[in-house]
Amino acid sequence: MQTRSIDHGLPKPVLYGDLATSLAALLEGETDPLANLANASALLWAALERINWCGFYLLRGGELVLGPFQGKPACVRIPLGKGVCGTAAARRETLVVPDVHAFPGHIACDAASRSEIVVPIVVNGALAGVLDVDAPETNRFDDADRAGLEAFVEALAPRVRWEGL
Ligand code: SME
């Protein structure tokens, strides 16, 4: 599979535009959710600088369960409403956390994480899971990251539908 290489140091709107193009190429003609999530996490890992973890938690049996990701091994199960991921999922809204140590109930899977963004994945009105990206520095994610990653998740959402979701 050939994907366009993404240069680091680009202005964020350009970077996220390139990411959208690469994601569309990866998703083209493929409906398998596991394959699409795996490639999406690999794409983000290759494209985003200054991050230490990126990947997905999927709603299964009423809790978030670890899905495809890049980075160190992580907590497997997160109840809805717990941590940054569980809170974003329960509220169905993106959370940008500039300093995870200041977020009550933050779950420290990787002690290196200092800031985090979590974007809920909603498929046909139902919560399917979240995208979580962690960084080893505070204040890593801004409004441009929020906009870019929300667009990324919106494009991905129709291609990650599990039967029964
Ligand atoms: N920090 C997250 C847990 C997931 S890991 O960072 C991969 C949280 O508080 O939800």
Side-chain angles (χ1 to χ4, degrees), residues 23-34:
L23 180 67
L26 284 171
L27 297 177
E28 175 74 33
E30 184 53 69
T31 57
D32 186 276
L34 191 57

Side-chain angles (χ1 to χ4, degrees), residues 1 22-44 55-56 58 67-70 121 131 152-153 155-162:
M1 164 69 64
S22 297
L23 180 67
L26 284 171
L27 297 177
E28 175 74 33
E30 184 53 69
T31 57
D32 186 276
L34 191 57
N36 288 335
L37 288 165
N39 262 338
S41 68
L43 181 60
L44 288 175
F56 299 94
L58 305 171
F69 71 95
Q70 304 276 307
I121 305 168
L131 165 66
F152 187 89
V153 163
L156 184 61
R159 299 303 185 95
V160 298
R161 189 180 163 78
W162 251 271

Side-chain angles (χ1 to χ4, degrees), residues 53 57 74 78 83-85 106-107 109 116 132 134:
W53 201 90
Y57 281 89
I78 300 176
V84 183
C85 291
H106 168 253
I107 300 164
C109 290
E116 179 164 358
D132 179 20
D134 293 359

Side-chain angles (χ1 to χ4, degrees), residues 88-150:
R91 293 185 194 166
R92 291 198 196 186
E93 68 183 32
T94 300
L95 282 184
V96 178
V97 179
D99 178 357
V100 296
H101 292 162
F103 187 93
H106 168 253
I107 300 164
C109 290
D110 182 344
S113 296
R114 287 289 178 273
S115 58
E116 179 164 358
I117 181 168
V118 178
V119 181
I121 305 168
V122 177
V123 183
N124 295 336
L127 180 74
V130 299
L131 165 66
D132 179 20
V133 186
D134 293 359
E137 62 187 63
T138 55
N139 291 303
R140 163 65 180 80
F141 304 103
D142 60 16
D143 281 347
D145 295 294
R146 175 199 290 263
L149 292 174
E150 285 180 345

Side-chain angles (χ1 to χ4, degrees), residues 8 10 24 43 46-47 49 58 68 79-80 82 114 147 164:
H8 290 193
L10 292 171
L43 181 60
E49 294 183 294
L58 305 171
L80 288 181
K82 300 288 180 192
R114 287 289 178 273

